[in-house]
Amino acid sequence: MSFYTWKAERLKRYGIVVVLALFCALLLWVGQWSQLAVFSNKGEARALTQGSEEQSHVALTFNISWGTDKVHDILEQLKAHEVQATFFLSGEWAERHPDIVAEIQEGNHEIGMMGYTYESYVEKEPEQVTSDLQQADAVFEKLGLGEVKWIRPPHGHIDKEVLSLIEKSGMQAVQWSLNPRDWENPGTNAIIDQVLKESSKGDIILLHASDSVKQTPKALEVILPGLKQKGLKFVSITEMVSGGESETTQVE
């Protein structure tokens, strides 16, 4: 092999190494960006379902669409155990109970929305979904919450069209990875057992603070210290996403 041929081959190998290094760097950059954008590789919006398993974090989330009794008990439990959570509120409920919204804020909890009327977006026309999002956004703005980043679609119902409309509105959909179905009131111990046995790093836990839940406040007395004993730290959805690579679900 001539010197020039050897040199050309060597430069070619170096070129491949450089290209691979740049490609890996690009993947890392896209990965960091996608934590907040929550897109698929095809540019399709996706729903956040779980945080990074590399971080000892769990996000405790509560849905509220009606009632005022149970939310106070739940807030008391969170305060007693020094736990931060994320509350997803329907705009209609928040508009009727600004004092409770303020109480949630005072507890340093994060607030997301569930639209305005809490009616399934899958069953609405696109313009109806957009109108509902705008109405909810106006309520949250009026309450001084600023721009709300996270939305849990009403009843958790989503499809590609709904996710696209949410993304166009500037928000991102959040679902869950652990659901003890506390609104069915399966028993305090049943709720406790499922959460403590099945919870792991990165989980987004779905609970409720509407008046339909009769056992959740009592269950939290055991769940909150129990999760801490497992070495898990409570974080908001925003903190979970910014703390490591998050998992998303593509909707068919």
Side-chain angles (χ1 to χ4, degrees):
M1 180 183 294
S2 68
F3 170 78
Y4 294 105
T5 302
W6 173 82
K7 187 174 183 180
E9 289 293 330
R10 188 177 182 185
L11 288 173
K12 182 179 179 181
R13 288 196 297 271
Y14 284 152
I16 292 173
V17 171
V18 170
V19 169
L20 287 173
L22 289 173
F23 180 71
C24 290
L26 179 62
L27 285 178
L28 288 172
W29 180 83
V30 170
Q32 292 293 323
W33 180 82
S34 65
Q35 291 168 22
L36 294 179
V38 197
F39 291 117
S40 73
N41 292 334
K42 297 180 180 179
E44 297 171 339
R46 304 180 74 168
L48 178 69
T49 56
Q50 189 168 3
S52 171
E53 295 180 356
E54 300 299 319
Q55 302 286 336
S56 298
H57 292 167
V58 290
L60 196 61
T61 68
F62 294 90
N63 291 0
I64 311 180
S65 59
W66 69 279
T68 60
D69 293 338
K70 297 304 177 183
V71 61
H72 295 293
D73 296 337
I74 287 169
L75 286 172
E76 286 178 7
Q77 287 297 322
L78 296 174
K79 182 178 181 180
H81 294 277
E82 299 181 332
V83 168
Q84 181 187 29
T86 300
F87 284 79
F88 289 91
L89 315 176
S90 71
E92 193 172 29
W93 182 90
E95 190 173 36
R96 293 199 307 269
H97 306 292
D99 54 331
I100 304 179
V101 175
E103 188 178 348
I104 293 171
Q105 282 186 289
E106 289 169 4
N108 293 319
H109 303 295
E110 184 168 46
I111 293 180
M113 73 162 63
M114 294 192 296
Y116 183 80
T117 61
Y118 198 66
E119 297 174 353
S120 175
Y121 282 171
V122 174
E123 299 173 3
K124 290 180 177 289
E125 296 297 324
E127 58 271 18
Q128 292 176 312
V129 174
T130 299
S131 176
D132 189 81
L133 289 170
Q134 291 173 345
Q135 189 174 5
D137 187 61
V139 168
F140 283 79
E141 183 72 29
K142 184 178 179 180
L143 291 173
L145 299 176
E147 185 177 350
V148 176
K149 180 188 298 184
W150 309 109
I151 178 170
R152 179 164 282 161
H155 304 287
H157 296 172
I158 52 175
D159 57 20
K160 286 184 176 181
E161 186 173 48
V162 168
L163 284 175
S164 178
L165 291 169
I166 287 172
E167 185 243 316
K168 288 178 181 178
S169 74
M171 289 183 288
Q172 294 161 22
V174 179
Q175 297 290 71
W176 54 85
S177 57
L178 179 55
N179 177 12
R181 304 178 72 86
D182 63 330
W183 77 92
E184 295 180 350
N185 297 303
T188 303
N189 289 334
I191 297 171
I192 293 170
D193 290 345
Q194 184 173 355
V195 173
L196 293 186
K197 288 179 181 179
E198 298 182 13
S199 59
S200 59
K201 295 179 180 179
D203 269 332
I204 298 175
I205 302 171
L206 170 63
L207 292 170
H208 296 75
S210 292
D211 283 0
S212 56
V213 296
K214 310 299 182 184
Q215 300 151 351
T216 302
K218 192 69 175 177
L220 288 174
E221 293 182 13
V222 179
I223 288 172
L224 300 181
L227 290 176
K228 288 182 179 181
Q229 288 174 5
K230 291 183 68 172
L232 297 171
K233 178 183 178 182
F234 294 96
V235 296
S236 67
I237 293 296
T238 297
E239 289 172 329
M240 175 166 280
V241 171
S242 62
E245 186 175 353
S246 304
E247 292 187 14
T248 60
T249 295
Q250 187 171 358
V251 177
E252 299 300 330

